[in-house]
Amino acid sequence: MIGLSMADVDWSFPFSSDYSIVLASLPSVFKINDVYGQASDLQMSSMPFSESYSDLPTGFGDTLSDLDSLQDEISDSLKEKIHPKNIQKSQDKVTLKEEGEGEQVSDAVNSQKVPQISGSESKGITNKMKNVYVVDYNNIRIQKFNGDGDFVLKWGTKGKDNGQFGVPHGIDLDKDGNVYVVDMDNNNVQKFDSEGNFLHKWGSMGTEDGQFMHPHSVVLDSFENVYVTDMANFNVQKFDNEGNFLHKWGSMGTDDGQFKAPEGIAVDSHDNLYVTDTDNNNVQKFDSEGNFLHKWGSMGTDDGQFKKPVGLDIDDNDNVYVVDAGNSRIQKFSPAGTYIDSWGSKGSEKGQLASPHDIAVDSEENSYVVEQDNFRVQKFSPDGDYLTTWGTQGSNNDQFLDPHSVVVGP
């Protein structure tokens, strides 16, 4: 993590996709985030805060190639923490049939057509008919599974072209099963069909309407408007599903409607938005136009308190599930923020969590949690009982190097 204060950096530089302009202004100071045990993102103007949020994956020098020139300044002890000696990265490469198109696992899988099911009808779908998409952050790809964790397909390679990623981060689906992926490094949102074929993208680096400085998470409402959190612009932006800018809200601070580090975002049945503010340790609720409605949470370990809340999702009854990363648990709340339940503890056993980062809830209120340090997806019942898990450390099919975000749909 690079610790900055507002006085350390000349923010008058012109915004550009070339990070060299930014890097010239950065002090060579690094710090490890104890919650995640990994290097921190290039923190933009959020840096004055003492416990700034960390979200760079293990092996950050491999992922953010634009920061390679800084590695010589990192101490040996820091390198060891970022790049553990025991990590074994597979040399398998993600391949594409064509630009932006997903690699298929077999003709048998390809022939299984998943019907488009929505609303109450989705209650009867089987695990085989569910699709679970995982952002495999440090492998720079998306992996698709069925509800039992069986691998279906994958897509993505490192780059800036259509269908390629710099650092894929947030993910969501529309009613037709199209996949929206936030690319944190390329500062854009890309849209794919359910087979990984590239359809559209929008966004560039900057602070103007429709631009991003550090986009993180994405969600779609019932009208298929797209909402994106931006941690360095301290805002939420709203677009139509073709990427046309509609509205934005948020600024840096601790007051109602302000953010220090807006991370996760989810939408309820009334199109209200819920945003986790990782550094303010709370959840804020807004209507679809960005009007502040409510918030809850504070720093701590008690019920309803958080230590670095990150991803979140909402079930069909509008209950809110929050990944409390620093406390290694999931907390469940009512739409008004009333505490209901929690589960999880730090560890690598079944039902335990190590750096959990995101959660997705299916139509039966089962939840899927991705863990950065355990390199896996765990599935829990509506009561938080462990059901199953899949994933190991690596780069082969159904392996992960920092599973970061997850979404489930029919």
Side-chain angles (χ1 to χ4, degrees):
M1 174 168 50
I2 303 170
L4 312 179
S5 69
M6 291 296 288
D8 289 323
V9 180
D10 177 9
W11 294 105
S12 64
F13 63 84
F15 290 106
S16 166
S17 59
D18 185 356
Y19 281 99
S20 62
I21 302 174
V22 183
L23 298 180
S25 304
L26 298 182
S28 55
V29 178
F30 288 83
K31 175 183 173 185
I32 281 292
N33 185 305
D34 295 330
V35 174
Y36 294 90
Q38 60 190 25
S40 171
D41 284 330
L42 174 63
Q43 299 283 333
M44 305 301 288
S45 49
S46 58
M47 287 307 94
F49 299 96
S50 59
E51 294 196 17
S52 52
Y53 170 62
S54 170
D55 198 29
L56 198 73
T58 310
F60 92 122
D62 299 329
T63 303
L64 294 186
S65 58
D66 293 307
L67 298 180
D68 283 345
S69 61
L70 292 176
Q71 281 190 309
D72 292 339
E73 299 179 44
I74 306 176
S75 68
D76 292 338
S77 60
L78 180 56
K79 288 179 180 177
E80 168 61 21
K81 195 165 186 182
I82 300 175
H83 301 282
K85 290 179 180 178
N86 294 328
I87 190 169
Q88 295 294 325
K89 287 190 180 181
S90 168
Q91 297 302 311
D92 293 351
K93 301 296 184 181
V94 180
T95 59
L96 302 180
K97 291 170 64 179
E98 293 179 2
E99 183 180 66
E101 185 175 359
E103 177 187 333
Q104 308 294 325
V105 64
S106 70
D107 291 339
V109 172
N110 296 343
S111 64
Q112 295 176 0
K113 300 299 183 182
V114 180
Q116 298 301 321
I117 305 172
S118 60
S120 60
E121 294 177 349
S122 66
K123 296 290 186 183
I125 67 176
T126 67
N127 283 337
K128 295 294 184 184
M129 296 166 63
K130 294 174 184 174
N131 291 312
V132 181
Y133 297 84
V134 179
V135 175
D136 191 0
Y137 192 104
N138 213 21
N139 279 322
I140 313 178
R141 65 186 182 186
I142 309 301
Q143 293 198 67
K144 179 180 178 180
F145 305 87
N146 66 24
D148 288 327
D150 300 321
F151 175 81
V152 178
L153 62 86
K154 65 187 177 184
W155 73 89
T157 55
K158 176 73 174 179
K160 298 181 180 296
D161 293 336
N162 296 340
Q164 294 186 312
F165 303 113
V167 179
H169 196 283
I171 190 168
D172 201 22
L173 308 174
D174 66 18
K175 295 176 183 177
D176 296 322
N178 296 312
V179 184
Y180 296 72
V181 180
V182 170
D183 189 333
M184 193 170 66
D185 195 25
N186 288 329
N187 289 291
N188 63 30
V189 178
Q190 294 196 64
K191 179 179 178 181
F192 303 87
D193 67 20
S194 61
E195 303 302 306
N197 299 301
F198 174 83
L199 299 175
H200 182 55
K201 70 180 178 183
W202 69 89
S204 60
M205 186 177 182
T207 61
E208 301 299 323
D209 296 347
Q211 292 186 314
F212 307 108
M213 287 298 296
H214 209 65
H216 265 232
S217 299
V218 60
V219 74
L220 279 74
D221 67 17
S222 63
F223 296 97
E224 301 199 342
N225 296 308
V226 181
Y227 302 81
V228 180
T229 58
D230 190 327
M231 291 188 73
N233 281 327
F234 309 101
N235 66 23
V236 176
Q237 294 196 66
K238 179 179 179 179
F239 305 87
D240 66 23
N241 66 0
E242 293 302 318
N244 297 303
F245 174 84
L246 299 176
H247 183 53
K248 67 181 178 183
W249 68 90
S251 60
M252 181 179 174
T254 60
D255 292 337
D256 295 347
Q258 291 187 313
F259 306 108
K260 282 188 183 179
E263 163 65 59
I265 188 167
V267 62
D268 68 16
S269 62
H270 303 287
D271 287 338
N272 297 311
L273 283 303
Y274 299 73
V275 179
T276 50
D277 190 337
T278 304
D279 283 358
N280 277 328
N281 288 292
N282 64 29
V283 178
Q284 296 196 60
K285 181 177 178 179
F286 304 88
D287 67 21
S288 60
E289 295 305 310
N291 297 302
F292 175 83
L293 300 176
H294 182 54
K295 70 179 178 184
W296 70 89
S298 59
M299 178 72 172
T301 59
D302 293 338
D303 294 344
Q305 293 186 311
F306 303 109
K307 186 178 181 182
K308 303 296 184 183
V310 280
L312 77 167
D313 201 14
I314 297 174
D315 66 24
D316 287 348
N317 294 312
D318 288 343
N319 295 310
V320 184
Y321 300 70
V322 181
V323 178
D324 188 2
N327 288 321
S328 300
R329 66 184 178 183
I330 307 301
Q331 295 198 67
K332 180 178 178 180
F333 301 89
S334 74
T338 303
Y339 173 84
I340 297 174
D341 194 10
S342 65
W343 64 90
S345 61
K346 187 171 180 60
S348 58
E349 300 299 319
K350 294 177 180 178
Q352 292 187 311
L353 302 169
S355 291
H357 196 269
D358 197 19
I359 186 170
V361 183
D362 67 20
S363 58
E364 296 165 329
E365 298 185 11
N366 299 309
S367 58
Y368 303 75
V369 180
V370 289
E371 303 171 73
Q372 294 175 279
D373 287 355
N374 283 331
F375 306 98
R376 66 185 180 185
V377 180
Q378 288 198 77
K379 182 178 179 180
F380 298 90
S381 74
D383 295 325
D385 297 323
Y386 169 84
L387 296 177
T388 189
T389 187
W390 69 89
T392 56
Q393 183 178 352
S395 299
N396 294 324
N397 297 343
D398 76 18
Q399 291 186 313
F400 304 107
L401 290 177
D402 196 346
H404 220 67
S405 299
V406 60
V407 65
V408 60

